[in-house]
Amino acid sequence: MPPLSTPPRQGSPSPSACACSSSPRQALPPHLQQRIATHPCYSEAAHHHYARMHVAVAPACNIQCNYCNRKFDCANESRPGVVSELLTPAEAAHKVLVIAGKIPQLTVVGIAGPGDPLANPKQTFETFARIAEKAPDLKLCLSTNGLMLPDYIDEIKRLNIDHVTLTINMVDPEIGAKIYPWIRWRRKRIRGVEAARILHERQMESLDLLREADILCKVNSVLIPGINDTHLLEVNRVIQEKGAFLHNIMPLISAPEHGTYFGLIGQRGPTPQELKALQDRCSGNMRMMRHCRQCRADAVGLLGEDRSQEFTKERFMQMTPEYDPEKRRQVQASIAQLQAQQQSTPTHWTADLPPDSPSILVAVASKGGGLVNRHFGHAREFLIYEVNARGAQFVGHRKVPQYCHGGSGEDNNLEQILDLIRDCRAVLVSKIGDCPMKRIREAGIEVVEDYDLIETVALKFYRTWLVNQTLDSKSSRS
Ligand code: CLF
Ligand code: SF4
């Protein structure tokens, strides 16, 4: 092995240079790169920089999922247990203009509930039409169970909705019957396998129609251990064949207090390791989204931050929109410039290491910008990166309880955090207090304090870690 003390030349492209860091690794053609470059869900690289918002204009649903209780938000695209304020299309358009002025890096407006947008077509399409008229630089994004999509494909095309998410949890109606007790179809309630069969057929037709219309389709699948865990490999195969752009396998969220059927019967969700294992198995076939935050139907901001409480109806209705397309264009141009700089930085740290060096996981505290820039005590989630001699790749995130409250640390929360990141070799933070640092190190996890690009900090750490491993194994042999 060559000496490891100084890194060789700079300038090799970062592994995150492709628009979505997930596999497959071949670069996207430029026209597709451009379509997703500022969409925080379709592009992992974009999610560090660009924001989205949802407008909750769609209360009704036409199916029942066993993981959903609609007195709360839609579990497909939201965090259950948090109630949304419903908006009219006019209120929603006003809110979008207010927020697009205050958050110029906002690039996408989605309708994701709290029910199904296409079970509320009038509100959904009127809202999109108002936004398209007043703020044409915003991308429109729709998330649906797909039951009614074939009826509305022409309207979706007419409004230039370029991104559509379908939630597909099965391609076998027998399995579907364990997830969906009923659907409402042509004014009738249909139950059991027949209901799942109709839903499945409509979802397959939706995939075909979206592909023919050249609309970028992401498929969300909820991983339900014991019900569709192994079956999702088949779902992955089918959606890839039908031209879906991206697959987002999300963990079932189920707790008794959410009042869902699965929550009440004690159906568990997957562990982070089970989720990652399935995503890894699917990632050879198609692009996988691993940065989904299962956001609420009125989410605002970067993925992973929730600014919705700054924009309650009472507040935003009193605000005057300051939507300024030129200012937004300038801010977004400077973000693109920053991203370009970031994409040509740090693999020199590991370029001289053996390519088959082992992979490790590290946990990163970040508040966006692709940087290690959050204090340990303020983190509510850690980004998980897999690091090896080939680079540092985002592979997921873990929600954690915040350690620091009102200037003092919560020991219980620290223990929970440790449980959640125990498989990581290091935690990368911009700052941390002596007490939590000591406890984390006692648990066998290294702590790195730095303020720099995530990839740079991760690869620098990896290099040191590998040197120490090599030295340890030499000294144990001598
Ligand atoms: Fe919203 Fe969904 Fe559009 Fe994104 S969310 S409608 S595609 S703009 Fe994104 Fe949120 Fe995950 Fe959805 S992180 S829940 S995937
Ligand atoms: Fe709930 Fe969405 Fe399922 Fe409808 S489609 S039941 S709103 S999770």
Side-chain angles (χ1 to χ4, degrees), residues 47-81:
H47 103 281
H48 297 290
H49 302 276
Y50 296 98
R52 56 76 185 95
M53 68 177 288
H54 290 163
V55 281
V57 295
C61 194
N62 45 15
I63 71 174
Q64 179 64 57
C65 303
N66 278 334
Y67 48 76
C68 177
N69 178 351
R70 274 193 307 285
K71 71 186 177 192
F72 304 120
D73 290 347
C74 171
N76 282 341
E77 289 282 348
S78 62
R79 190 180 60 215

Side-chain angles (χ1 to χ4, degrees), residues 95-303:
K95 184 176 184 181
V96 168
L97 289 180
V98 165
I99 293 176
K102 293 203 180 295
I103 307 179
Q105 64 272 43
L106 178 91
T107 48
V108 180
V109 179
I111 301 183
D116 189 85
L118 298 183
N120 307 262
K122 189 169 173 307
Q123 296 96 314
T124 295
F125 292 124
E126 187 185 332
T127 303
F128 278 142
R130 284 173 181 260
I131 296 166
E133 187 198 342
K134 301 237 170 72
D137 64 333
L138 285 163
K139 286 179 185 300
L140 304 179
C141 195
L142 172 73
S143 176
T144 172
N145 59 43
L147 183 66
M148 294 310 293
L149 186 136
D151 290 24
Y152 295 112
I153 187 70
D154 290 338
E155 193 63 5
I156 290 170
K157 287 195 276 193
R158 195 183 66 77
L159 283 166
N160 259 331
I161 298 169
D162 195 33
H163 299 76
V164 171
T165 294
L166 295 174
T167 298
I168 300 180
N169 297 317
M170 53 86 200
V171 289
D172 174 350
E174 295 286 339
I175 292 174
K178 298 177 188 165
I179 302 170
Y180 307 105
W182 56 261
I183 66 169
R184 179 163 289 283
W185 174 244
R186 305 299 187 218
R187 297 177 185 276
K188 283 203 187 120
R189 186 170 289 202
I190 317 267
R191 296 180 185 275
V193 177
E194 174 64 1
R197 186 189 59 74
I198 294 169
L199 180 62
H200 165 61
E201 287 173 3
R202 294 287 281 184
Q203 290 179 335
M204 296 302 104
E205 191 182 347
S206 298
L207 282 168
D208 290 337
L209 290 167
L210 291 169
R211 184 188 64 248
E212 284 159 17
D214 190 27
I215 291 169
L216 292 179
C217 174
K218 169 166 72 62
V219 170
N220 284 359
S221 301
V222 180
L223 169 52
I224 311 163
I227 293 185
N228 70 351
D229 38 6
T230 49
H231 179 63
L232 285 183
L233 289 166
E234 178 64 6
V235 172
N236 177 266
R237 188 189 64 74
V238 170
I239 64 167
Q240 186 211 5
E241 259 176 32
K242 287 193 166 282
F245 178 78
L246 186 63
H247 195 187
N248 173 24
I249 299 181
M250 315 183 292
L252 171 73
I253 300 174
S254 90
E257 60 270 28
H258 296 153
T260 64
Y261 174 78
F262 280 151
L264 293 172
I265 65 165
Q267 169 66 52
R268 74 171 179 93
T271 63
Q273 291 74 21
E274 287 170 330
L275 178 67
K276 180 174 181 302
L278 183 60
Q279 289 170 333
D280 287 349
R281 286 184 74 185
C282 293
S283 67
N285 301 330
M286 67 182 293
R287 278 170 203 86
M288 300 299 295
M289 176 181 187
R290 298 175 191 251
H291 58 284
C292 175
R293 304 302 202 278
Q294 292 172 282
C295 20
R296 43 188 284 165
D298 57 2
V300 174
L302 293 175
L303 305 191

